[in-house]
């Protein structure tokens, strides 16, 4: 048995980052840049008004109130035609180009209409010119985003601003999800004696979707060598194969044997954690294979701790597994045995930090309790007093 952090290190060490592909920028959301991106324009491209108001010479409004002649009205998208001379100003809208001669904008709230085509500047703030200067965000030709930068919503907007409709990102892995077990029935069926509905196929498919990758469902393999062999062979055509169940110590837990038969290299088969002990990690070439424990909570905990970071590594994330949060335990917890406990908790903000309240649970099959949790407290064996600080891994990604 190895520690969960050593297991994660092994997973990341053996998981490749996938090659680059060109995609539409909206599709790139959730992926990671595989190129440096330079701007083809100054941003902003011209001196731009930050306010609806009047473009003025700052010297003219050094003492207020003062009246100025309004010589032009400039709206967004239209170039000014006149120069602002002493005693004059132009009415200007947000986003419109600042006319020559003006070096400040007074917002409309600080003005009053005056007679004879004039405006009365009631007050002006010398500390705020309210002009976005050409190139102040980035100069044309400069790098705005570097390879390895994750594409979020804001990067999509920036990519569009610098003239990019397509961008190079690391390819997302293809994933196959396979549930195993003679006892499993489909959602539409009412379980008969000894049967349960397959939960893991669906929770794993949803987990993949949340991680930004689409997964194919290979269905349910029965606990026979022939069925497992065929479906695992199909799954090994993807970048990632997730098999749930069949990895523990029972007589019908055949998955690790079929993995070996398929020529994979197994890196670990058990992790000193609860839940999630029978977690298998293997590779074949550049493909990664996980045997996840069958219990529905265990499968999701193992996905969160190992599969999610692996998928992120494949997609080129510089930080595949972001650090946990620090939280204060609300009630004491004793962890017996020698495995690290990943205890379901509700994490909330109180006073000046996170507090973690343990969720009562019947264990690794108790999806009902798990649905009440939004994080996992990471507890080493021993006694944890109320008020002690513990790492917490968020489940709400
Ligand atoms: P196993 O690892 O195959 O021994 O499964 C451990 C436990 O998880 C057993 O109680 C199984 O019935 C249950 N289990 C296995 N696969 C699934 C699944 N896809 N959905 C729900 N429960 C499952
Ligand atoms: Mg089974």
């Amino acid at each position: 048995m190895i520690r969960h952090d050593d297991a994660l290190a092994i997973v990341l060490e053996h998981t490749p980052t996938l090659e680059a592909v060109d995609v539409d920028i909206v599709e790139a959301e959730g992926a990671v840049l595989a190129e440096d991106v330079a701007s083809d324009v100054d941003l902003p491209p011209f001196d731009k008004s930050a306010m609806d108001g009047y473009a003025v010479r700052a010297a003219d409004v050094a003492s207020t109130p003062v009246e100025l002649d309004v010589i032009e009205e400039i709206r967004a998208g239209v170039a000014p035609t006149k120069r602002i001379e002493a005693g004059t100003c132009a009415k200007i809208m947000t986003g419109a180009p600042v006319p020559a001669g003006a070096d400040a904008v007074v917002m409309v709230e600080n003005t009053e209409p005056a007679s004879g085509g004039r405006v009365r500047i009631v007050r002006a703030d010398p500390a705020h010119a309210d002009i976005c200067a050409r190139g102040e965000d980035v100069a044309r030709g400069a790098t705005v985003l570097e390879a390895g930068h994750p594409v979020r919503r804001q990067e999509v907007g920036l990519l569009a601003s610098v003239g990019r409709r397509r961008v190079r990102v690391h390819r997302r892995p293809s994933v196959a999800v396979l549930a195993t077990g003679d006892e499993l029935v489909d959602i539409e069926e009412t379980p008969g004696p000894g049967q349960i509905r397959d939960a893991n196929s669906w929770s794993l498919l949803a987990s993949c979707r949340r991680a930004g990758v689409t997964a194919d469902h290979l269905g349910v393999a029965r606990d026979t060598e022939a069925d497992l062999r065929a479906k695992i062979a199909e799954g090994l055509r993807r970048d990632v194969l997730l098999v749930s169940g069949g990895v523990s110590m029972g007589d019908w837990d055949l998955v690790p044997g079929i993995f070996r038969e398929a020529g994979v290299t197994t890196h670990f088969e058990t992790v000193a954690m609860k839940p999630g002990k029978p977690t298998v990690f293997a590779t074949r070439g550049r493909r990664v294979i996980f045997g996840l424990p069958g219990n529905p909570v265990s499968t999701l905990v193992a996905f969160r701790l190992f599969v999610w970071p692996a998928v992120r590594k494949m997609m080129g994330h510089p930080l595949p597994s972001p650090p946990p949060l620090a939280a204060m335990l609300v009630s004491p917890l004793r962890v017996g045995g020698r495995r690290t406990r990943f205890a379901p908790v509700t994490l909330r903000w109180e006073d000046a930090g996170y507090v973690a309240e343990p969720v009562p649970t019947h264990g690794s099959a108790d999806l009902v309790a798990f649905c009440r949790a939004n994080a996992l407290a990471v507890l080493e064996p021993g006694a944890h007093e109320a008020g002690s600080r513990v790492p917490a891994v968020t489940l709400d990604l």
Side-chain angles (χ1 to χ4, degrees):
M1 272 209 296
I2 54 170
R3 279 185 54 82
H4 65 93
D5 33 17
D6 294 331
L8 175 61
I10 291 171
V11 167
L12 295 178
E13 181 193 334
H14 290 94
T15 299
T17 293
L18 301 181
E19 71 280 3
V21 289
D22 269 315
V23 297
D24 171 273
I25 55 171
V26 176
E27 242 169 75
E29 192 274 330
V32 178
L33 289 179
E35 63 167 328
D36 293 343
V37 175
S39 180
D40 72 338
V41 287
D42 289 326
L43 282 183
F46 49 87
D47 291 342
K48 198 173 69 173
S49 178
M51 290 288 174
D52 294 317
Y54 292 86
V56 301
R57 293 158 41 108
D60 285 356
V61 297
S63 85
T64 50
V66 63
E67 287 193 8
L68 300 172
D69 284 326
V70 182
I71 59 170
E72 188 174 18
E73 187 172 322
I74 311 161
R75 55 198 177 87
V78 175
T81 60
K82 295 188 177 131
R83 186 180 173 85
I84 306 302
E85 307 287 358
T88 72
C89 67
K91 193 170 190 190
I92 193 163
M93 308 300 148
T94 304
V98 174
D103 54 4
V105 170
V106 177
M107 63 179 177
V108 72
E109 290 87 338
N110 289 345
T111 70
E112 284 168 4
S115 56
R118 292 162 72 82
V119 66
R120 189 178 160 80
I121 308 294
V122 181
R123 66 190 91 77
D125 179 357
H128 288 103
D130 278 327
I131 293 173
C132 308
R134 172 176 184 161
E136 73 178 5
D137 300 341
V138 69
R140 178 180 170 179
T143 300
V144 279
L145 294 169
E146 288 178 9
H149 192 108
V151 181
R152 301 163 299 170
R153 282 71 65 196
Q154 53 270 51
E155 282 78 17
V156 174
L158 180 54
L159 287 164
S161 302
V162 302
R164 298 295 297 266
R165 181 173 284 277
R166 297 183 70 78
V167 71
R168 259 181 119 55
V169 297
H170 292 283
R171 181 170 69 78
R172 298 173 201 244
S174 58
V175 185
V177 170
L178 176 64
T180 72
D182 284 341
E183 73 280 29
L184 301 180
V185 299
D186 278 347
I187 298 176
E188 292 77 13
E189 290 176 50
T190 304
Q195 296 183 323
I196 56 167
R197 290 198 176 96
D198 169 18
N200 299 349
S201 289
W202 311 105
S203 64
L204 290 173
L205 288 166
S207 299
C208 290
R209 188 188 156 112
R210 193 74 191 149
V213 295
T214 48
D216 293 326
H217 187 206
L218 303 184
V220 175
R222 296 307 161 194
D223 292 320
T224 66
E225 294 194 336
D227 201 19
L228 285 168
R229 204 174 277 137
K231 294 203 164 83
I232 285 173
E234 164 67 18
L236 282 169
R237 293 161 52 182
R238 313 298 201 289
D239 298 305
V240 180
L241 169 60
L242 306 180
V243 181
S244 92
V247 287
S248 39
M249 299 303 285
D251 289 350
W252 302 103
D253 292 327
L254 307 170
V255 169
I258 306 289
F259 278 172
R260 265 176 251 127
E261 194 190 288
V264 308
T265 305
T266 301
H267 300 284
F268 58 78
E269 289 189 339
T270 47
V271 183
M273 59 189 277
K274 186 179 178 175
K277 178 177 150 194
T279 296
V280 179
F281 174 64
T283 50
R284 196 173 81 175
R286 289 171 63 80
R287 298 172 204 277
V288 302
I289 300 120
F290 289 92
L292 303 172
N295 267 312
V297 173
S298 315
T299 257
L300 290 174
V301 170
F303 185 99
R304 172 65 181 83
L305 293 185
F306 306 120
V307 183
W308 186 69
V311 165
R312 282 166 58 87
K313 170 96 191 274
M314 289 184 133
M315 298 202 303
H317 272 279
L319 195 62
S321 183
L325 305 171
M328 200 188 80
L329 264 190
V330 167
S331 44
L333 267 183
R334 238 208 96 68
V335 175
R338 291 169 51 203
R339 292 185 275 155
T340 307
R341 176 76 56 84
F342 287 82
V345 295
T346 55
L347 204 61
R348 58 173 192 272
W349 185 261
E350 226 173 74
D351 299 330
Y354 285 110
V355 298
E357 183 164 354
V359 175
T361 172
H362 296 106
S364 52
D366 192 352
L367 266 184
V368 178
F370 196 60
C371 287
R372 296 198 182 105
N374 62 4
L376 298 164
V378 187
L379 304 170
E380 297 305 332
H384 298 270
E385 284 160 25
S388 56
R389 266 163 96 78
V390 297
V393 175
T394 172
L395 296 170
D396 293 349
L397 298 168

